[in-house]
């Protein structure tokens, strides 16, 4: 009988793409066209798509796999923006699913670096109409009605679906997003992309009301505490926290959990695990990550150490969010049996310990599991 190999922390080959506005580095993605490839251990040279096909819930965890199937649900990118990005908008999950058989486009932007002239544009500075948006995209005056934020290093912002957004002028962003590549360009000041062709397709899912940008500054508290020091976002799409490493940190789960992703935003660190060799003896294996690099901890790996190589090491800790879709076509208050019909014996059967007679108010509910790939 062939012995099942235990999974281990995975590191991936970055994919760099040059643009007129700067450089985009894909740290981790399972998008079909741009699949990240493993660079370490016995799974080296396999893409994230390949390992999801083979190891499924052993990678993501059972709950995440039950919802997303073989689609790894999170993309991580780094944007090094010198000029000005195009003004774009992303659909939500419902629109993306119905029209494009895809996930939506919620994003978290974490500011890794910000120059004196850096800017983030997110949403409108006033209530807008579709007609005015079209005219401003056509004549190049869209920026005049955008909310203008001066970002600072360590700040963050959630870009919700439907929000027109852009950034530029000396800014480095770590982007955490849903596994989707549906950026609809509305206007590009540098002429790299033709945005006008996307306007008609996006008009019905753009948010036209005045933007209410929440507080976006997040400074790492100087508490001297080792470990998780602040939650940035908690949502159905993904959860992101900030972790300070001033000493080794042991992570151990008593039971199966979801996969975890770590992105190094400052300093250096390694992920250490203990594995048996061919003779049954235990040995320590390490996967290193420098600034701007990431490591995935599969669900199956429940015991590991984070070891800093630098006293000021800061990590983003990312996990998939929790989703539980209820089928809207099923009414939980509806009687499970039709009055007057002969079900002969079924009405006495128990399901999950509940007796269903059709006359005692017992309802049914449904899960709608969505497999995108």
């Amino acid at each position: 009988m062939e012995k099942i190999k235990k999974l281990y922390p995975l590191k991936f080959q970055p994919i760099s793409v040059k643009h007129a506005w700067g450089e985009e580095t894909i740290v981790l993605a399972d998008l079909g066209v741009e699949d990240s490839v493993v660079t370490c251990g016995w799974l080296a040279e396999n893409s994230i798509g390949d390992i999801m096909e083979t190891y499924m819930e052993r990678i993501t965890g059972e709950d995440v796999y039950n919802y997303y199937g073989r689609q790894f649900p999170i993309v991580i990118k780094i944007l090094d923006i010198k000029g000005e990005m195009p003004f774009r908008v992303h659909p939500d999950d419902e629109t993306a699913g119905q029209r494009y058989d895809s996930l939506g486009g919620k994003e978290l932007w974490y500011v890794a670096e910000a120059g004196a002239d850096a800017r983030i544009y997110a949403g409108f500075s006033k209530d807008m109409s579709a007609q005015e948006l079209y005219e401003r995209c056509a004549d190049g005056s869209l920026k005049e009605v955008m909310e203008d934020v001066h970002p600072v290093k360590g700040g963050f912002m959630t870009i919700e679906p439907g929000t027109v957004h852009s950034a530029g002028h000396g800014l480095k962003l770590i982007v955490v997003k849903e596994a989707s590549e549906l950026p609809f360009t509305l206007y590009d000041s540098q002429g790299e992309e033709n945005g006008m062709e996307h306007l008609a397709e996006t008009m019905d899912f753009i948010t036209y009301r005045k933007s209410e940008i929440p507080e976006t500054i997040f400074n790492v508290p100087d508490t001297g505490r080792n470990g998780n020091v602040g939650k940035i976002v908690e949502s159905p799409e993904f959860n992101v926290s900030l972790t300070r490493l001033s000493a080794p940190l042991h992570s151990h789960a008593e039971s199966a959990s979801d996969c975890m992703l770590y992105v190094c935003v400052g300093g250096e660190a390694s992920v250490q695990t203990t594995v048996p060799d061919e003779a049954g003896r235990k040995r320590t294996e390490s996967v290193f990550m420098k600034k701007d690099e990431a490591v995935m901890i599969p669900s199956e790996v429940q015991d590991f150490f984070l070891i800093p190589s630098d006293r000021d090491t800061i990590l983003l800790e990312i996990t998939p969010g929790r989703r539980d879709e209820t089928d809207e076509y099923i009414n939980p208050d509806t009687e499970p049996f039709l009055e007057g019909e002969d079900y002969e014996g079924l009405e006495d059967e128990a399901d999950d310990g509940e007796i269903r007679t059709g006359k005692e108010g017992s309802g049914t509910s449904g899960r709608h599991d969505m497999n995108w790939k």
Side-chain angles (χ1 to χ4, degrees), residues 157-338:
M157 179 179 290
T158 301
I159 306 296
E160 297 289 346
T163 302
V164 177
H165 58 275
S166 177
H169 311 297
L171 182 61
K172 186 176 181 180
L173 298 173
I174 296 175
V175 179
V176 180
K177 64 189 294 289
E178 295 183 80
S180 170
E181 201 63 287
L182 292 174
F184 293 97
T185 299
L186 305 183
Y187 172 70
D188 185 1
S189 63
Q190 299 193 260
E192 184 182 31
E193 300 179 23
N194 179 13
M196 296 297 289
E197 64 181 350
H198 289 159
L199 275 173
E201 199 168 352
T202 62
M203 284 295 186
D204 63 336
F205 63 76
I206 289 174
T207 301
Y208 292 99
R209 62 180 178 275
K210 182 182 182 302
S211 177
E212 296 182 4
I213 297 178
E215 181 63 45
T216 62
I217 305 306
F218 185 94
N219 294 317
V220 182
D222 189 16
T223 61
R225 183 166 54 124
N226 189 49
N228 190 301
V229 294
K231 182 161 296 206
I232 293 178
V233 63
E234 185 174 16
S235 71
E237 294 81 11
F238 44 73
N239 304 311
V240 183
S241 298
L242 211 61
T243 294
R244 176 194 289 276
L245 286 182
S246 56
L249 183 66
H250 184 202
S251 179
H252 175 69
E254 296 294 335
S255 59
S257 59
D258 296 337
C259 64
M260 303 176 72
L261 300 164
Y262 287 100
V263 182
C264 186
V265 300
E268 297 181 5
S270 63
V271 182
Q272 294 186 0
T273 54
T274 302
V275 296
D277 60 18
E278 293 181 358
R281 296 183 297 266
K282 291 186 177 181
R283 71 176 190 275
T284 299
E285 291 188 348
S286 298
V287 178
F288 292 89
M289 56 179 155
K290 298 180 180 180
K291 186 178 179 181
D292 297 341
E293 294 183 335
V295 171
M296 177 204 291
I297 314 293
S299 170
E300 187 174 283
V301 179
Q302 298 177 28
D303 193 341
F304 61 92
F305 286 86
L306 294 171
I307 311 293
S309 304
D310 188 300
R311 184 169 293 181
D312 295 321
T313 297
I314 304 295
L315 307 176
L316 288 182
E317 180 184 287
I318 305 160
T319 59
R322 289 289 180 178
R323 298 203 191 226
D324 190 9
E325 295 257 339
T326 301
D327 196 327
E328 296 179 357
Y329 291 98
I330 296 179
N331 183 353
D333 297 324
T334 300
E335 298 288 355
F337 295 100
L338 297 176

Side-chain angles (χ1 to χ4, degrees), residues 334-339 341 343 346-348 356-359:
T334 300
E335 298 288 355
F337 295 100
L338 297 176
E339 187 175 350
E341 295 292 331
Y343 293 99
L346 290 179
E347 53 192 23
D348 294 325
R356 284 170 164 70
T357 64
K359 299 181 180 180

